[in-house]
Amino acid sequence: SGQYLQLSIKNSLRIRTHTWAFAPFRTRSAYPVAMAAQEERNPGMRKGLYLIPCFLMLCNVVGADPLPEHEALRKQANDAFKSGDFISVIKVTTSIIEKNAKDNTALYMRGSARIEVGISRMDGKMIRDGITDAREALTAASKPEFNYYLPYLYGMTNLTLIEGQVSHSAVSVKIATELLSTATMTDEQKANVMYQRGLANNAGKKP
């Protein structure tokens, strides 16, 4: 049920018009071993907690919609992400999306960058924009891309921490639990989703 999961995500976003001064969630208490090992090999890549496995695997993401002529721009965006230049990521991927609104890789990258910028600025609207991009990437992909759920989960968890509304992190827990029941997920994908569920549980003050 990828369609069911996408429907759950579509119905889960609740718009709020104010933010509370809660610090973004940055604990490593549930950091998967595989992610930590990747970070140790290339510490410069650790700019956002969920982003390490996503962008290490970026070149392996294959969909029907990204166009070959935009590959250089996608690489430019990926390089900017690895250097922590999230604003440049947003600008470059937006230029791709303006030419091809169904470029799921560009949507995924822009959503990830928007969430990182939103967290750093305590900006709930920016985080929501990133969540929307992640949802659109899931819809545009021609096959299931479990990594595309990670920015969604991470964004919803951080909305709880910024706005103080636990229903956002509860959605993350629900979607992550549903994902973990998917038999086609790899062990690494399951570890990353379990990590996101751990973040969401902690954000919601659950054991």
Side-chain angles (χ1 to χ4, degrees), residues 173-192:
V173 172
K174 178 177 182 295
I175 297 299
T177 300
E178 291 172 356
L179 283 170
L180 289 169
S181 68
T182 304
T184 55
M185 290 182 71
T186 66
D187 289 344
E188 183 178 12
Q189 288 168 338
K190 287 181 179 179
N192 294 333

Side-chain angles (χ1 to χ4, degrees), residues 36 58 62 65-66 89 107 121 145:
L58 181 60
V62 178
D65 298 311
V89 175
L107 286 164
R121 295 179 178 177
E145 294 289 356

Side-chain angles (χ1 to χ4, degrees), residues 4 15 27 31 60 64 92 97 99 127 132 144 160 162 172 179 193:
Y4 171 73
I15 302 301
T27 180
Y31 204 48
N60 295 324
V92 174
I97 293 164
K99 298 178 180 69
I127 293 174
T132 297
T160 285
I162 290 173
S172 290
L179 283 170
V193 172

Side-chain angles (χ1 to χ4, degrees), residues 145-167:
E145 294 289 356
F146 292 108
N147 287 334
Y148 288 7
Y149 286 97
L150 300 179
Y152 174 85
L153 299 173
Y154 189 60
M156 292 297 286
T157 294
N158 275 278
L159 281 180
T160 285
L161 293 160
I162 290 173
E163 299 180 354
Q165 185 168 331
V166 297
S167 60

Side-chain angles (χ1 to χ4, degrees), residues 16 18 33 90 105 126 131 142 146 151 156-157 172 180 184:
R16 291 170 61 88
H18 66 278
V33 173
I90 294 170
T105 303
M126 180 69 81
I131 290 170
S142 59
F146 292 108
M156 292 297 286
T157 294
S172 290
L180 289 169
T184 55

Side-chain angles (χ1 to χ4, degrees), residues 83-104:
S83 68
D85 186 358
F86 302 125
I87 297 300
S88 290
V89 175
I90 294 170
K91 289 179 180 178
V92 174
T93 52
T94 296
S95 72
I96 298 172
I97 293 164
E98 287 172 349
K99 298 178 180 69
N100 178 17
K102 297 300 184 181
D103 190 315
N104 56 80

Side-chain angles (χ1 to χ4, degrees), residues 120-138:
S120 68
R121 295 179 178 177
M122 308 290 286
D123 184 344
K125 181 182 182 302
M126 180 69 81
I127 293 174
R128 282 183 171 80
D129 288 343
I131 290 170
T132 297
D133 280 342
R135 288 164 50 195
E136 291 182 358
L138 284 162

